[in-house]
Amino acid sequence: MITGLVIFSTPDKNNYNSFKADAQLNTQIDKTSDRDTFEYFLSDLVDNDTDTIMHRFERYNQQLESSERLETALLGKYMRYKAALATLKRDNNLNVDFQDLHQQMLLLQRAFFTVDEQYHLFSEENLLRELALLKKGIKESAQSSEEFQQRWEFELNKLPPVLRNSFRNASLLAALNETNILDTQSQFIAREALVGSEAAERLRILDQQRTDFDRHVHSYLITRDVILNNASFDDIEKEQAITDLRKSLFDNSLWRRIEALERIHDR
């Protein structure tokens, strides 16, 4: 388990951020597990190539104590696995047999990783997926909701407490995601039943903040396109107009993120 970065002198924020992408500057590196750290660096793969990702990861790894460093070769394997997994999921996009997809994912893991690496990276995920398939089978065969709940609780109680809670949390997240198709009022009621009124209200506020941000970004990018295509402006005037527009819509702390979104938009 990674415990943090080693600082030999006064912390240097610029040095700490040197292995982060622009869109990651206001985020913390996820050090929950090796895989979570890999996923953190791969989250910028849309905007950068694999060599850039690997270079940033290696710089980050050098900041750690030698006993805490992650295996660079394992990240390389993980990136190749993720690429193969994406192809597999695209090929199975229609009429998915989830049991078959699960088996194909296990075969991919065996193709890319040793037994120890598979356990280290995927043991909990694989178990949770197996439980999801088991839950689906119980739901399809149970004669009543009471029978389903009884059989399902029996299976859950076989698990160690940590995994039992992980699966219940994953099930809760899935149930919360299903509320996204509901109208605002029905969504709040459904969320309140799942997590309580205070948490449902916090989720409502977060949704509103996300919607407001997306709306501002959409408006900003449209207006920015107008400015860039304005033949009466020279390059300096265009840059100043875009800067003024960005200032009017976004806090300075978000500018790096906005610049990353601009690059994606301009592709």
Side-chain angles (χ1 to χ4, degrees):
M1 182 69 67
I2 302 169
T3 58
L5 298 176
V6 179
I7 306 297
F8 295 100
S9 58
T10 303
D12 183 343
K13 184 177 180 180
N14 290 330
N15 185 54
Y16 179 80
N17 285 330
S18 66
F19 38 76
K20 292 184 179 182
D22 288 347
Q24 296 171 327
L25 292 180
N26 295 312
T27 65
Q28 295 295 318
I29 294 174
D30 191 343
K31 298 177 282 188
T32 308
S33 68
D34 291 0
R35 183 178 173 182
D36 289 319
T37 304
F38 292 165
E39 286 290 349
Y40 178 88
F41 282 91
L42 290 179
S43 67
D44 191 51
L45 195 54
V46 173
D47 207 34
N48 285 282
D49 58 35
T50 54
D51 288 341
T52 300
I53 298 295
M54 187 66 77
H55 185 55
R56 284 181 177 147
F57 174 78
E58 288 171 347
R59 291 207 305 272
Y60 161 74
N61 219 19
Q62 290 301 314
Q63 302 281 324
L64 303 175
E65 292 183 359
S66 58
S67 61
E68 298 172 339
R69 287 176 187 163
L70 287 70
E71 295 181 41
T72 302
L74 187 58
L75 173 59
K77 287 185 181 182
Y78 190 69
M79 285 195 289
R80 292 191 293 276
Y81 166 76
K82 291 280 286 188
L85 185 62
T87 301
L88 176 64
K89 289 184 176 181
R90 281 196 301 271
D91 291 344
N92 285 276
N93 208 17
L94 298 174
N95 301 319
V96 176
D97 180 330
F98 290 106
Q99 180 64 50
D100 183 57
L101 181 59
H102 170 61
Q103 292 302 322
Q104 291 183 64
M105 291 173 71
L106 294 179
L107 286 174
L108 273 183
Q109 291 168 16
R110 294 185 194 115
F112 284 95
F113 304 99
T114 66
V115 172
D116 287 343
E117 289 168 347
Q118 291 171 55
Y119 182 83
H120 181 62
L121 293 172
F122 305 109
S123 58
E124 184 171 332
E125 175 201 289
N126 290 341
L127 178 57
L128 293 178
R129 197 164 55 248
E130 287 167 6
L131 283 169
L133 289 166
L134 176 61
K135 182 179 181 181
K136 180 175 180 290
I138 293 174
K139 185 175 290 186
E140 290 172 350
S141 63
Q143 299 300 307
S144 66
S145 59
E146 290 78 10
E147 180 190 345
F148 162 75
Q149 195 60 42
Q150 185 178 34
R151 290 169 59 187
W152 177 234
E153 284 297 324
F154 177 77
E155 296 296 338
L156 280 183
N157 288 332
K158 294 179 182 178
L159 300 174
V162 172
L163 285 180
R164 190 186 312 146
N165 290 335
S166 291
F167 193 83
R168 283 185 170 135
N169 289 338
S171 298
L172 178 60
L173 287 175
L176 286 170
N177 284 334
E178 288 175 1
T179 69
N180 291 333
I181 64 173
L182 303 175
D183 61 74
T184 303
Q185 183 177 5
S186 299
Q187 183 184 64
F188 185 86
I189 293 172
R191 286 176 170 179
E192 188 175 32
L194 288 168
V195 296
S197 57
E198 290 186 7
E201 177 62 17
R202 289 196 296 271
L203 288 170
R204 185 195 66 78
I205 293 171
L206 286 172
D207 283 346
Q208 187 60 54
Q209 291 173 342
R210 188 180 300 112
T211 299
D212 290 344
F213 178 77
D214 290 344
R215 187 176 66 253
H216 287 151
V217 169
H218 180 69
S219 173
Y220 168 76
L221 292 174
I222 290 175
T223 308
R224 176 176 171 269
D225 285 343
V226 172
I227 294 171
L228 290 173
N229 292 321
N230 190 333
S232 66
F233 284 3
D234 60 28
D235 289 344
I236 294 176
E237 289 172 327
K238 289 178 181 179
E239 183 176 349
Q240 184 59 53
I242 291 172
T243 299
D244 292 341
L245 176 65
R246 192 184 297 134
K247 284 181 178 179
S248 70
L249 292 173
F250 306 106
D251 185 79
N252 288 356
S253 63
L254 294 172
W255 281 22
R256 294 278 190 177
R257 183 177 176 187
I258 298 305
E259 288 169 356
L261 291 172
E262 289 174 3
R263 290 194 294 274
I264 294 171
H265 174 72
D266 291 343
R267 286 180 175 179

